Amino acid sequence: MNDKQKTIKNSISLSGVGLHTGANVTITFLPTEENHGIVFQRIDLDGQPKIEANTDFVVDTSRSTTLGIDNVRISTVEHVLAACVGLQIDNILIQLDGIEVPILDGSSKPFLDAFLEAGLEQQEALRDYHEITKPIHYVDEDNNVELSILPLNDYRITTIVDYHSSCLLYTSPSPRD
């Protein structure tokens, strides 16, 4: 991992349709200064409000991840944020002229390609890391949820989802049977 913060070199825009709203949306990515963070901005609303990409602002996860402050919403942010994380972009302003990030091809690739086309720029400021120094284990028995976080000198996420469905528990017979 790079210890220095990163942004994009040039602005770039993409247009597409929102998966859940069906609305045509243009999304524009702009380089920003050090320590700005990843920030969304609704340029179609009065005052052009901004919302940081921060779990404190997640207001809905029912069909996609939606960020919100007061009555301002920005939905389906997962793929663009995955592209930022994948390319280690720390500082970027993401402007939208609608409520929902366009779905494009349904993956993070169009956003990755746009960021690479815009160019990446290393900044001088150091990244702020959250270091896990001991195992953390959380259990929510009411919702049958379990989470474990372990120290590691690498970035790795392993997810296991078990919906307790009989179709998921089926094991095919071995070819020898």
Side-chain angles (χ1 to χ4, degrees), residues 89-116:
I89 295 172
D90 305 281
N91 303 306
I92 192 166
L93 179 61
I94 304 170
Q95 296 180 327
L96 292 110
D97 65 358
I99 190 171
E100 185 175 22
V101 173
I103 195 63
L104 304 175
D105 75 353
S107 76
S108 294
K109 188 173 183 332
F111 301 113
L112 285 165
D113 292 343
F115 295 153
L116 292 173

Side-chain angles (χ1 to χ4, degrees), residues 33-106:
E33 69 278 358
E34 297 170 345
N35 301 309
H36 179 271
I38 300 170
V39 177
F40 290 88
Q41 183 177 30
R42 289 283 305 273
I43 62 171
D44 60 317
L45 299 176
D46 288 340
Q48 299 187 344
K50 295 179 180 179
I51 303 175
E52 294 177 44
N54 184 311
T55 56
D56 290 339
F57 301 116
V58 173
V59 295
D60 189 11
T61 58
S62 57
R63 293 173 41 198
S64 65
T65 302
T66 300
L67 302 175
I69 297 176
D70 298 323
N71 292 327
V72 178
R73 298 287 183 265
I74 299 170
S75 62
T76 320
V77 298
E78 302 88 341
H79 298 156
V80 70
L81 290 176
C84 289
V85 170
L87 292 175
Q88 298 181 24
I89 295 172
D90 305 281
N91 303 306
I92 192 166
L93 179 61
I94 304 170
Q95 296 180 327
L96 292 110
D97 65 358
I99 190 171
E100 185 175 22
V101 173
I103 195 63
L104 304 175
D105 75 353

Side-chain angles (χ1 to χ4, degrees), residues 113-159:
D113 292 343
F115 295 153
L116 292 173
E117 183 179 333
L120 302 176
E121 183 173 290
Q122 182 172 296
Q123 299 172 304
E124 289 304 311
L126 293 174
R127 280 203 167 105
D128 183 22
Y129 288 99
H130 298 282
E131 185 176 354
I132 306 299
T133 58
K134 61 183 180 179
I136 300 169
H137 191 71
Y138 170 79
V139 175
D140 177 347
E141 292 182 16
D142 293 339
N143 293 302
N144 199 22
V145 172
E146 186 174 345
L147 173 70
S148 295
I149 302 172
L150 305 171
L152 185 66
N153 290 331
D154 193 7
Y155 183 80
R156 186 179 317 162
I157 298 174
T158 303
T159 304

